[in-house]
Amino acid sequence: MPPRPSLQSLLLMAASTSAAAGDSALLLAARRRFPAAFAAAGGQRIRLLHSFSGNRLPRRAELACCFGTAPVPEAVPAGPAVPRSRNVRTMEEKRACEQRLGKLVEMLKNEGINMTQWRLGTFQRMLCPTCKGGSTEELSLSVFIRNDGLNATWNCFRANCGWKGNVQPDGVSKVYQAKKDTGNETDRGSETDQEVKGNHAVKPHRKLREEDMRLEPLCDELLTYFSERMISPETLRRNNVSQRRWNNKIVIAFTYRRDKVLVGCKYREVSKKFSQEPNTEKILYGLDDIKQARDIIIVEGEIDKLSMEEAGYRNCVSVPDGAPAQVSNKLPDKDHDKKYQYLWNCKEYLDSASRIILATDADPPGQALAEELARRLGKERCWRVSWPKKNETEFCKDANEVLMFLGPQALKKVIEGIRGDELGIPTGWKCMDELYKVVPGELTIVTGVPNSGKSEWIDALLCNINDQCGWKFVLCSMENKVRDHARKLLEKHIKKPFFDARYGGSVERMSEDELEEGKEWLNETFHLIRCEDDCLPSIDWVLNLAKAAVLRHGVRGLVIDPYNELDHQRPSNQNETEYVSQILTKIKRFAQHHSCHVWFVAHPRQLHNWNGGPPNMYDISGSAHFINKCDNGIVIHRNRDPDAGPMDVVQVCMKKVRNKVIGQIGDAFLTYDRITGEYKEADEAIVAKVVKQQMRQKQTIHHR
């Protein structure tokens, strides 16, 4: 391919034309002044597309050139020297300008912009390589190259395309597609794939060439950086982790490959600034490692993928674009699912997996990412990771933190200990775990006579689940004042009384530092639904606010306490039984759709001839549908007979368990600590005494 014209060659064009017109002195002067340019021309004639009068040199804005095949005319006697350009003052600047222009032309061609004639300092129109000008093949792409070669810009003015961008000769390019910038991206690549769906043009994918990437082996400084993160050189070499010198910096290069062929490249500075190769196909990082894998681990970053390999798990991939701020309101179809297009591009790899472990970050965006992935991959085969604590107060955020703080065996144990939510979340009390576990998407009805501790027990259960799994909850507790409710939750979490009052006895109250830590925990764990005006909240109002909390904050549990505090206006042609059935159906659909467990507290009706024993689920005021439609039915009962045992014994009666995998019907006994609000497992002797007394009561009633 002949060399492209530079500023010097553009001047030679004018000289060549003048020589053809009889002014050979100008040609000789130009040849003496720019010998390198004459040599680069390869003995070819440069033909001007404009004619000029006299000895006036054309302005660069007027030049457009192409290469002929005829030899350059012989030199003629010297004439007056070619005047110095006003924009280029030294030979160094001229050479630099030539180099910039050459790079710009090459970079434009890499983007698919290949002009037959290159003009400087003016706007040129051509067929857009992205949309092909639509059905009319309109020349909708405008291209502009600066005279000094500092940058080139382009813009497609078709409304259905809008492809635009700019390139700079220092290796930086920015490409925009219709709506927004794809990021702070670099400029390498060669060929372009064009995809068209229907009448809509799809952004072309570049094919990268290894020789154009200028990738290098990692330097000692970056090897040390990875070593501090517990990543070995062997793992880095196997995953082709490299470096690249760019803008006077050395950045880490993570290469994205499919069948060992380079598809994309992502760059990371040590300061956690990221960029990617533009216009490349989005795929999962480490895609070849999950080919035909039955179990797949998906993490949120490339270093997390490398960390999993250090723990012995190569069947791991990373998403290319990080996590969203929150869960989207609805699931788009495939063609509009741009953010997660990499899942569709890797569908054949993911479809073969029977179990997918979502090991995303523990922060809210990471949990939102896990939810988005599960919605697309199928929640029935997705399992979530619960990261362990790295110290007494903090949890590990991701796989690399587990590797750094706890070691590879701890990370391996996290993955080995994964079990699906369908097997239930433990309650925190061993005696209860045999009867009941918490499963996302289920409805648990909780009842009991007044002052039995229904709300207190649910609060203790939520604190246990948060401590084990980090779940977040929405509380619609209309019988509790906000301050009192917050105090009781803090006491259960910190395990110390809030007040230095009589109920606290001689136990040390929580310190100011513990209080501040507890307040942060409250803000992160619980979200309140309150109706502050005089009107009663309806079930639709509660569920709409709970839905917003699930989508925005990754909430996994909802408490509605109690049923009789809701607004129960119903149509005149609907009886209470039908109304309760409708409410419970709405709650169950909410729980299943959002994978959220719901605890619904309902009081029993007035009990006649009550003997002091636990009520039945059929005693709930309103309808038998409370037990018929729920997944789990629990009765909380507190001992009120001093002869039967301590007054702080609480009996948890499992009256219904729909899912035999997570529990069974039976009773568990706990003791209530009035000072801190904690529930602990009761001693076997106390349990035996309570059970014996209840048997006596039943016999007495039977004889009567």
Side-chain angles (χ1 to χ4, degrees):
M1 177 180 176
R4 292 176 180 77
S6 62
L7 285 177
Q8 296 176 1
S9 59
L10 293 176
L11 293 174
L12 293 179
M13 297 174 202
S16 177
T17 305
S18 299
D23 191 354
S24 59
L26 181 58
L27 175 63
L28 182 58
R31 188 166 190 168
R32 288 175 178 173
R33 192 168 186 83
F34 307 108
F38 269 92
Q44 295 176 329
R45 173 181 293 177
I46 300 175
R47 174 171 55 88
L48 279 181
L49 301 183
H50 295 274
S51 60
F52 306 92
S53 59
N55 292 334
R56 180 181 69 86
L57 285 178
R59 297 189 304 273
R60 278 177 291 181
E62 298 172 336
L63 291 179
C65 58
C66 62
F67 287 92
T69 57
V72 177
E74 292 295 326
V76 291
V82 178
R84 175 174 291 186
S85 171
R86 292 175 295 174
N87 296 328
V88 182
R89 294 183 175 83
T90 66
M91 290 298 294
E92 291 76 11
E93 291 176 344
K94 293 175 185 177
R95 294 192 185 97
C97 195
E98 287 183 46
Q99 294 175 357
R100 289 196 298 267
L101 287 171
K103 288 182 180 180
L104 283 181
V105 171
E106 183 67 28
M107 293 166 70
L108 288 172
K109 287 192 174 183
N110 287 342
E111 298 294 341
I113 302 173
N114 194 359
M115 309 277 296
T116 56
Q117 304 168 7
W118 296 97
R119 292 189 177 94
L120 305 179
T122 188
F123 290 94
Q124 295 176 264
R125 296 183 64 182
M126 63 170 287
L127 193 68
C128 176
T130 302
C131 66
K132 303 297 184 182
S135 58
T136 61
E137 297 186 356
E138 176 188 5
L139 300 180
S140 58
L141 188 71
S142 176
V143 184
F144 180 84
I145 305 176
R146 282 183 50 154
N147 291 333
D148 53 11
L150 288 179
N151 76 343
T153 59
W154 68 89
N155 188 9
C156 180
F157 292 100
R158 289 191 71 244
N160 291 335
C161 179
W163 183 50
K164 61 182 179 179
N166 65 77
V167 292
Q168 300 175 10
D170 59 357
V172 180
S173 87
K174 292 185 179 180
V175 182
Y176 303 79
Q177 179 66 23
K179 292 184 178 180
K180 63 179 181 178
D181 189 359
T182 59
N184 186 17
E185 299 168 334
T186 50
D187 65 289
R188 290 296 174 258
S190 58
E191 302 176 20
T192 302
D193 288 336
Q194 178 72 32
E195 300 177 6
V196 179
K197 295 181 180 179
N199 296 325
H200 300 283
V202 179
K203 186 177 180 179
H205 294 147
R206 292 167 48 222
K207 291 183 179 178
L208 303 181
R209 292 190 306 221
E210 301 252 7
E211 57 270 22
D212 293 334
M213 301 293 294
R214 302 200 306 270
L215 301 181
E216 305 170 351
L218 292 172
C219 63
D220 292 341
E221 290 80 1
L222 289 181
L223 288 174
T224 301
Y225 168 78
F226 280 108
S227 177
E228 292 172 351
R229 303 181 79 97
M230 304 293 289
I231 308 297
S232 65
E234 292 76 16
T235 299
L236 296 171
R237 282 193 294 270
R238 199 193 77 82
N239 289 274
N240 297 299
V241 181
S242 307
Q243 71 178 37
R244 178 177 173 182
R245 300 179 187 275
W246 176 48
N247 281 357
N248 299 321
K249 297 179 181 178
I250 297 179
V251 296
I252 303 168
F254 297 103
T255 53
Y256 283 66
R257 300 172 186 270
R258 181 195 286 120
D259 294 328
K260 299 183 180 180
V261 177
L262 186 64
V263 176
C265 191
K266 184 175 178 179
Y267 304 104
R268 171 187 173 129
E269 298 180 24
V270 175
S271 59
K272 291 196 71 172
K273 292 182 179 179
F274 297 93
S275 59
Q276 295 189 33
E277 288 290 339
N279 301 342
T280 56
E281 182 183 5
K282 291 295 180 68
I283 62 173
L284 294 163
Y285 178 69
L287 185 61
D288 288 344
D289 288 338
I290 64 169
K291 194 171 185 178
Q292 298 180 346
R294 303 299 297 171
D295 285 358
I296 293 176
I297 304 172
I298 300 181
V299 295
E300 196 175 322
E302 293 81 6
I303 293 182
D304 291 330
K305 185 263 189 293
L306 303 178
S307 301
M308 284 294 182
E309 186 163 326
E310 292 293 339
Y313 295 99
R314 289 189 177 181
N315 57 325
C316 178
V317 290
S318 169
V319 300
D321 290 334
Q326 61 186 37
V327 180
S328 57
N329 289 328
K330 64 178 182 178
L331 191 65
D333 57 36
K334 175 182 176 181
D335 293 338
H336 295 89
D337 199 11
K338 302 301 182 184
K339 171 69 176 174
Y340 301 93
Q341 196 63 43
Y342 54 84
L343 294 178
W344 300 103
N345 295 338
C346 304
K347 188 174 185 297
E348 59 179 304
Y349 291 79
L350 298 169
D351 284 348
S352 62
S354 58
R355 186 174 76 148
I356 300 176
I357 299 174
L358 304 178
T360 55
D361 289 3
D363 57 10
Q367 295 305 302
L369 174 62
E371 178 65 20
E372 293 285 11
L373 294 176
R375 292 165 69 183
R376 289 161 174 82
L377 299 173
K379 293 186 178 182
E380 68 281 355
R381 60 175 180 152
C382 288
W383 304 52
R384 291 198 186 188
V385 161
S386 296
W387 299 116
K389 284 187 174 181
K390 63 181 177 181
N391 53 44
E392 293 183 357
T393 58
E394 296 179 298
F395 282 88
C396 291
K397 177 177 175 289
D398 53 30
N400 188 243
E401 279 201 2
V402 177
L403 181 66
M404 291 173 62
F405 287 92
L406 305 177
Q409 290 303 316
L411 182 55
K412 186 176 182 179
K413 186 177 179 181
V414 169
I415 301 302
E416 289 177 347
I418 287 293
R419 53 183 182 78
D421 287 343
E422 66 271 13
L423 297 180
I425 304 298
T427 63
W429 304 292
K430 290 183 179 180
C431 61
M432 274 295 302
D433 292 339
E434 298 176 358
L435 307 176
Y436 172 67
K437 291 186 178 71
V438 178
V439 178
E442 290 190 353
L443 169 63
T444 296
I445 299 294
V446 181
T447 190
V449 298
N451 202 28
S452 292
K454 299 182 293 296
S455 301
E456 287 277 356
W457 179 82
I458 291 177
D459 287 347
L461 175 63
L462 303 187
C463 290
N464 289 348
I465 295 174
N466 173 262
D467 187 58
Q468 294 178 97
C469 306
W471 274 27
K472 299 179 180 180
F473 307 94
V474 174
L475 303 180
C476 182
S477 183
M478 292 158 282
E479 288 186 334
N480 277 307
K481 296 179 181 178
V482 174
R483 288 179 178 271
D484 290 341
H485 201 178
R487 172 183 56 79
K488 290 187 284 188
L489 289 169
L490 284 174
E491 289 177 338
K492 290 177 174 61
H493 176 66
I494 301 174
K495 299 177 175 56
K496 291 182 181 180
F498 182 85
F499 291 116
D500 191 9
R502 183 175 60 182
Y503 79 92
S506 59
V507 178
E508 178 187 4
R509 68 179 298 195
M510 64 183 69
S511 66
E512 292 186 4
D513 291 339
E514 290 172 331
L515 174 61
E516 291 302 319
E517 180 274 329
K519 287 163 64 176
E520 291 183 7
W521 171 78
L522 279 176
N523 289 332
E524 294 175 358
T525 306
F526 299 102
H527 303 271
L528 299 183
I529 293 178
R530 302 291 295 183
C531 190
E532 301 296 346
D533 52 21
D534 295 335
C535 63
L536 295 175
S538 67
I539 190 63
D540 292 331
W541 181 79
V542 171
L543 294 180
N544 285 334
L545 291 179
K547 175 183 176 181
V550 169
L551 298 178
R552 293 175 184 173
H553 307 293
V555 163
R556 305 297 305 279
L558 165 65
V559 177
I560 304 176
D561 180 14
Y563 161 76
N564 62 347
E565 290 285 344
L566 295 173
D567 182 10
H568 297 305
Q569 295 183 10
R570 64 178 188 269
S572 58
N573 61 346
Q574 186 181 46
N575 59 37
E576 187 175 13
T577 299
E578 295 170 338
Y579 172 71
V580 170
S581 176
Q582 184 183 58
I583 282 183
L584 295 177
T585 298
K586 289 181 179 180
I587 295 175
K588 291 191 66 174
R589 286 181 179 175
F590 167 83
Q592 294 171 0
H593 182 72
H594 296 287
S595 190
C596 180
H597 194 100
V598 180
W599 291 270
F600 195 11
V601 178
H603 294 308
R605 63 177 181 268
Q606 186 175 358
L607 300 177
H608 300 284
N609 301 320
W610 180 49
N611 63 356
N616 197 288
M617 293 292 293
Y618 286 103
D619 292 327
I620 298 177
S621 175
S623 170
H625 280 306
F626 280 107
I627 187 171
N628 295 337
K629 304 197 73 168
C630 70
D631 297 294
N632 309 288
I634 297 178
V635 175
I636 304 296
H637 182 67
R638 181 172 62 84
N639 178 38
R640 289 172 171 81
D641 184 0
D643 296 332
M647 299 291 288
D648 59 358
V649 173
V650 176
Q651 183 177 358
V652 182
C653 309
M654 289 301 305
K655 295 297 186 180
K656 178 183 179 181
V657 180
R658 187 188 301 276
N659 185 357
K660 66 180 181 180
V661 175
I662 61 102
Q664 59 185 338
I665 294 174
D667 296 343
F669 293 87
L670 306 172
T671 58
Y672 175 66
D673 187 340
R674 186 169 180 270
I675 297 175
T676 63
E678 294 179 90
Y679 284 81
K680 301 176 183 178
E681 296 185 42
D683 294 336
E684 293 183 3
I686 296 176
V687 173
K689 187 176 181 179
V690 173
V691 172
K692 186 176 181 179
Q693 181 63 23
Q694 289 181 352
M695 292 295 294
R696 289 176 181 172
Q697 290 177 349
K698 290 181 180 179
Q699 291 175 0
T700 301
I701 295 173
H702 178 71
H703 289 310
R704 290 178 181 175

Short mmCIF file of all heavy atoms in Angstrom, two decimals, residues 46-85:
data_model
loop_
_atom_site.label_atom_id
_atom_site.label_comp_id
_atom_site.label_asym_id
_atom_site.label_seq_id
_atom_site.Cartn_x
_atom_site.Cartn_y
_atom_site.Cartn_z
N ILE A 46 1.89 12.56 -7.56
CA ILE A 46 0.76 12.94 -6.72
C ILE A 46 -0.10 13.91 -7.50
O ILE A 46 0.36 14.98 -7.91
CB ILE A 46 1.23 13.58 -5.41
CG1 ILE A 46 2.09 12.56 -4.66
CG2 ILE A 46 0.06 14.02 -4.56
CD1 ILE A 46 2.72 13.12 -3.43
N ARG A 47 -1.34 13.55 -7.75
CA ARG A 47 -2.21 14.34 -8.61
C ARG A 47 -3.10 15.24 -7.77
O ARG A 47 -3.76 14.78 -6.83
CB ARG A 47 -3.08 13.40 -9.44
CG ARG A 47 -4.14 14.10 -10.28
CD ARG A 47 -4.79 13.11 -11.23
NE ARG A 47 -5.33 11.97 -10.51
CZ ARG A 47 -6.57 11.95 -10.01
NH1 ARG A 47 -7.33 13.02 -10.11
NH2 ARG A 47 -7.02 10.88 -9.40
N LEU A 48 -3.14 16.52 -8.10
CA LEU A 48 -4.03 17.46 -7.41
C LEU A 48 -5.43 17.40 -7.98
O LEU A 48 -5.61 17.23 -9.18
CB LEU A 48 -3.49 18.88 -7.54
CG LEU A 48 -2.37 19.27 -6.57
CD1 LEU A 48 -2.00 20.72 -6.85
CD2 LEU A 48 -2.78 19.10 -5.15
N LEU A 49 -6.40 17.54 -7.08
CA LEU A 49 -7.80 17.57 -7.52
C LEU A 49 -8.30 18.99 -7.69
O LEU A 49 -9.46 19.19 -8.00
CB LEU A 49 -8.66 16.81 -6.52
CG LEU A 49 -8.27 15.34 -6.31
CD1 LEU A 49 -9.24 14.69 -5.34
CD2 LEU A 49 -8.24 14.59 -7.62
N HIS A 50 -7.48 19.98 -7.42
CA HIS A 50 -7.83 21.38 -7.64
C HIS A 50 -6.71 22.00 -8.46
O HIS A 50 -5.56 21.60 -8.39
CB HIS A 50 -7.97 22.14 -6.31
CG HIS A 50 -9.10 21.65 -5.48
ND1 HIS A 50 -10.38 22.08 -5.62
CD2 HIS A 50 -9.12 20.71 -4.49
CE1 HIS A 50 -11.16 21.47 -4.75
NE2 HIS A 50 -10.41 20.63 -4.05
N SER A 51 -7.04 23.00 -9.23
CA SER A 51 -6.01 23.74 -9.98
C SER A 51 -5.82 25.10 -9.34
O SER A 51 -6.75 25.67 -8.78
CB SER A 51 -6.44 23.89 -11.45
OG SER A 51 -7.67 24.59 -11.52
N PHE A 52 -4.60 25.60 -9.41
CA PHE A 52 -4.28 26.87 -8.78
C PHE A 52 -3.54 27.73 -9.78
O PHE A 52 -2.82 27.24 -10.64
CB PHE A 52 -3.40 26.64 -7.54
CG PHE A 52 -4.00 25.68 -6.58
CD1 PHE A 52 -3.70 24.33 -6.65
CD2 PHE A 52 -4.89 26.10 -5.62
CE1 PHE A 52 -4.25 23.42 -5.77
CE2 PHE A 52 -5.44 25.19 -4.74
CZ PHE A 52 -5.13 23.86 -4.82
N SER A 53 -3.67 29.03 -9.68
CA SER A 53 -3.07 29.95 -10.64
C SER A 53 -1.74 30.45 -10.11
O SER A 53 -1.56 30.64 -8.91
CB SER A 53 -4.02 31.14 -10.88
OG SER A 53 -4.26 31.81 -9.65
N GLY A 54 -0.81 30.66 -11.03
CA GLY A 54 0.47 31.25 -10.67
C GLY A 54 1.28 30.34 -9.77
O GLY A 54 1.19 29.13 -9.82
N ASN A 55 2.11 30.98 -8.90
CA ASN A 55 2.94 30.23 -7.97
C ASN A 55 2.32 30.14 -6.58
O ASN A 55 2.99 29.75 -5.63
CB ASN A 55 4.33 30.90 -7.85
CG ASN A 55 5.11 30.77 -9.14
OD1 ASN A 55 4.89 29.84 -9.91
ND2 ASN A 55 6.02 31.71 -9.37
N ARG A 56 1.02 30.48 -6.45
CA ARG A 56 0.41 30.45 -5.13
C ARG A 56 0.24 29.03 -4.65
O ARG A 56 -0.30 28.18 -5.35
CB ARG A 56 -0.98 31.12 -5.20
CG ARG A 56 -1.71 31.15 -3.85
CD ARG A 56 -3.07 31.80 -3.97
NE ARG A 56 -3.98 30.97 -4.74
CZ ARG A 56 -4.72 29.99 -4.20
NH1 ARG A 56 -4.59 29.71 -2.92
NH2 ARG A 56 -5.54 29.28 -4.95
N LEU A 57 0.74 28.77 -3.44
CA LEU A 57 0.55 27.45 -2.85
C LEU A 57 -0.89 27.31 -2.36
O LEU A 57 -1.44 28.26 -1.82
CB LEU A 57 1.52 27.24 -1.68
CG LEU A 57 2.96 26.98 -2.09
CD1 LEU A 57 3.80 26.85 -0.83
CD2 LEU A 57 3.10 25.73 -2.93
N PRO A 58 -1.49 26.16 -2.54
CA PRO A 58 -2.87 25.98 -2.07
C PRO A 58 -2.93 25.93 -0.55
O PRO A 58 -1.99 25.50 0.09
CB PRO A 58 -3.27 24.63 -2.67
CG PRO A 58 -1.97 23.90 -2.81
CD PRO A 58 -0.95 24.95 -3.15
N ARG A 59 -4.06 26.40 -0.03
CA ARG A 59 -4.29 26.22 1.40
C ARG A 59 -4.60 24.75 1.65
O ARG A 59 -5.19 24.07 0.82
CB ARG A 59 -5.46 27.08 1.87
CG ARG A 59 -5.20 28.57 1.72
CD ARG A 59 -6.31 29.36 2.41
NE ARG A 59 -7.63 29.00 1.91
CZ ARG A 59 -8.19 29.58 0.85
NH1 ARG A 59 -7.53 30.50 0.20
NH2 ARG A 59 -9.39 29.20 0.47
N ARG A 60 -4.22 24.28 2.87
CA ARG A 60 -4.43 22.87 3.16
C ARG A 60 -5.91 22.51 3.14
O ARG A 60 -6.28 21.38 2.88
CB ARG A 60 -3.82 22.52 4.51
CG ARG A 60 -2.34 22.27 4.42
CD ARG A 60 -1.76 22.00 5.78
NE ARG A 60 -1.80 23.21 6.60
CZ ARG A 60 -1.33 23.26 7.84
NH1 ARG A 60 -0.83 22.19 8.39
NH2 ARG A 60 -1.38 24.37 8.53
N ALA A 61 -6.75 23.48 3.44
CA ALA A 61 -8.19 23.20 3.40
C ALA A 61 -8.67 22.90 1.99
O ALA A 61 -9.74 22.35 1.80
CB ALA A 61 -8.97 24.36 3.98
N GLU A 62 -7.87 23.28 0.98
CA GLU A 62 -8.28 23.08 -0.40
C GLU A 62 -7.74 21.78 -0.99
O GLU A 62 -8.03 21.44 -2.12
CB GLU A 62 -7.79 24.25 -1.26
CG GLU A 62 -8.37 25.60 -0.85
CD GLU A 62 -7.70 26.74 -1.58
OE1 GLU A 62 -6.56 26.54 -2.02
OE2 GLU A 62 -8.31 27.79 -1.71
N LEU A 63 -6.89 21.07 -0.21
CA LEU A 63 -6.18 19.93 -0.77
C LEU A 63 -6.97 18.64 -0.60
O LEU A 63 -7.54 18.38 0.44
CB LEU A 63 -4.82 19.77 -0.09
CG LEU A 63 -3.79 20.87 -0.42
CD1 LEU A 63 -2.51 20.61 0.33
CD2 LEU A 63 -3.52 20.92 -1.91
N ALA A 64 -6.96 17.86 -1.65
CA ALA A 64 -7.43 16.48 -1.58
C ALA A 64 -6.60 15.71 -2.56
O ALA A 64 -6.36 16.16 -3.68
CB ALA A 64 -8.91 16.38 -1.92
N CYS A 65 -6.06 14.61 -2.17
CA CYS A 65 -5.08 13.96 -3.03
C CYS A 65 -5.36 12.48 -3.18
O CYS A 65 -6.06 11.87 -2.40
CB CYS A 65 -3.68 14.15 -2.45
SG CYS A 65 -3.53 13.49 -0.79
N CYS A 66 -4.81 11.93 -4.23
CA CYS A 66 -4.80 10.49 -4.42
C CYS A 66 -3.48 10.14 -5.10
O CYS A 66 -2.76 11.02 -5.57
CB CYS A 66 -5.99 10.02 -5.24
SG CYS A 66 -6.02 10.71 -6.90
N PHE A 67 -3.15 8.87 -5.14
CA PHE A 67 -1.86 8.46 -5.68
C PHE A 67 -2.04 7.87 -7.08
O PHE A 67 -2.88 7.01 -7.29
CB PHE A 67 -1.21 7.40 -4.77
CG PHE A 67 -0.68 7.99 -3.51
CD1 PHE A 67 -1.47 8.03 -2.37
CD2 PHE A 67 0.58 8.53 -3.45
CE1 PHE A 67 -0.98 8.57 -1.21
CE2 PHE A 67 1.07 9.07 -2.28
CZ PHE A 67 0.29 9.09 -1.16
N GLY A 68 -1.21 8.37 -7.99
CA GLY A 68 -1.15 7.78 -9.33
C GLY A 68 -0.02 6.78 -9.41
O GLY A 68 0.61 6.44 -8.42
N THR A 69 0.27 6.31 -10.59
CA THR A 69 1.33 5.32 -10.77
C THR A 69 2.46 5.81 -11.65
O THR A 69 3.45 5.10 -11.83
CB THR A 69 0.73 4.06 -11.42
OG1 THR A 69 0.10 4.41 -12.65
CG2 THR A 69 -0.30 3.44 -10.49
N ALA A 70 2.32 6.99 -12.18
CA ALA A 70 3.38 7.50 -13.06
C ALA A 70 4.56 7.97 -12.25
O ALA A 70 4.40 8.42 -11.12
CB ALA A 70 2.83 8.66 -13.91
N PRO A 71 5.79 7.88 -12.77
CA PRO A 71 6.98 8.33 -12.03
C PRO A 71 6.99 9.84 -11.88
O PRO A 71 6.39 10.57 -12.65
CB PRO A 71 8.14 7.83 -12.88
CG PRO A 71 7.57 7.71 -14.26
CD PRO A 71 6.16 7.31 -14.10
N VAL A 72 7.74 10.30 -10.86
CA VAL A 72 7.89 11.73 -10.62
C VAL A 72 8.78 12.32 -11.70
O VAL A 72 9.79 11.72 -12.08
CB VAL A 72 8.51 11.97 -9.24
CG1 VAL A 72 8.74 13.45 -9.00
CG2 VAL A 72 7.59 11.41 -8.18
N PRO A 73 8.46 13.50 -12.22
CA PRO A 73 9.31 14.13 -13.25
C PRO A 73 10.71 14.39 -12.70
O PRO A 73 10.91 14.54 -11.50
CB PRO A 73 8.58 15.44 -13.56
CG PRO A 73 7.19 15.23 -13.08
CD PRO A 73 7.26 14.29 -11.95
N GLU A 74 11.65 14.45 -13.62
CA GLU A 74 13.02 14.72 -13.23
C GLU A 74 13.15 16.10 -12.62
O GLU A 74 12.38 17.01 -12.92
CB GLU A 74 13.94 14.63 -14.47
CG GLU A 74 14.06 13.21 -15.01
CD GLU A 74 14.74 12.30 -14.02
OE1 GLU A 74 15.63 12.76 -13.29
OE2 GLU A 74 14.37 11.11 -13.97
N ALA A 75 14.15 16.25 -11.74
CA ALA A 75 14.39 17.54 -11.09
C ALA A 75 14.82 18.58 -12.11
O ALA A 75 15.44 18.29 -13.12
CB ALA A 75 15.45 17.38 -10.02
N VAL A 76 14.51 19.83 -11.85
CA VAL A 76 14.87 20.96 -12.72
C VAL A 76 15.65 21.95 -11.89
O VAL A 76 15.71 21.86 -10.67
CB VAL A 76 13.58 21.61 -13.27
CG1 VAL A 76 12.90 20.67 -14.26
CG2 VAL A 76 12.62 21.96 -12.16
N PRO A 77 16.28 22.94 -12.51
CA PRO A 77 17.12 23.89 -11.78
C PRO A 77 16.38 24.56 -10.65
O PRO A 77 15.17 24.71 -10.66
CB PRO A 77 17.55 24.89 -12.87
CG PRO A 77 17.45 24.12 -14.14
CD PRO A 77 16.36 23.15 -13.98
N ALA A 78 17.18 24.95 -9.66
CA ALA A 78 16.62 25.53 -8.43
C ALA A 78 15.89 26.82 -8.69
O ALA A 78 16.26 27.59 -9.56
CB ALA A 78 17.73 25.76 -7.41
N GLY A 79 14.88 27.07 -7.93
CA GLY A 79 14.12 28.29 -7.98
C GLY A 79 13.94 28.84 -6.59
O GLY A 79 14.65 28.45 -5.66
N PRO A 80 13.00 29.72 -6.40
CA PRO A 80 12.76 30.27 -5.06
C PRO A 80 12.29 29.18 -4.10
O PRO A 80 11.63 28.24 -4.48
CB PRO A 80 11.66 31.31 -5.30
CG PRO A 80 10.99 30.88 -6.56
CD PRO A 80 12.06 30.27 -7.41
N ALA A 81 12.67 29.33 -2.80
CA ALA A 81 12.34 28.33 -1.78
C ALA A 81 10.85 28.34 -1.48
O ALA A 81 10.18 29.35 -1.61
CB ALA A 81 13.13 28.61 -0.50
N VAL A 82 10.36 27.17 -1.07
CA VAL A 82 8.96 27.07 -0.65
C VAL A 82 8.78 27.83 0.65
O VAL A 82 9.55 27.64 1.59
CB VAL A 82 8.58 25.59 -0.44
CG1 VAL A 82 7.14 25.49 0.03
CG2 VAL A 82 8.75 24.82 -1.75
N PRO A 83 7.79 28.68 0.78
CA PRO A 83 7.62 29.45 2.01
C PRO A 83 7.25 28.54 3.18
O PRO A 83 6.58 27.52 3.01
CB PRO A 83 6.46 30.40 1.68
CG PRO A 83 5.74 29.75 0.55
CD PRO A 83 6.78 29.03 -0.25
N ARG A 84 7.70 28.92 4.39
CA ARG A 84 7.44 28.14 5.60
C ARG A 84 5.98 28.26 5.99
O ARG A 84 5.40 29.33 5.95
CB ARG A 84 8.32 28.64 6.75
CG ARG A 84 8.04 27.96 8.07
CD ARG A 84 9.02 28.37 9.13
NE ARG A 84 10.35 27.82 8.83
CZ ARG A 84 11.38 27.92 9.66
NH1 ARG A 84 11.25 28.54 10.81
NH2 ARG A 84 12.55 27.41 9.32
N SER A 85 5.39 27.13 6.37
CA SER A 85 4.00 27.13 6.81
C SER A 85 3.85 27.94 8.10
O SER A 85 4.69 27.90 8.97
CB SER A 85 3.53 25.69 7.07
OG SER A 85 2.28 25.69 7.68
#
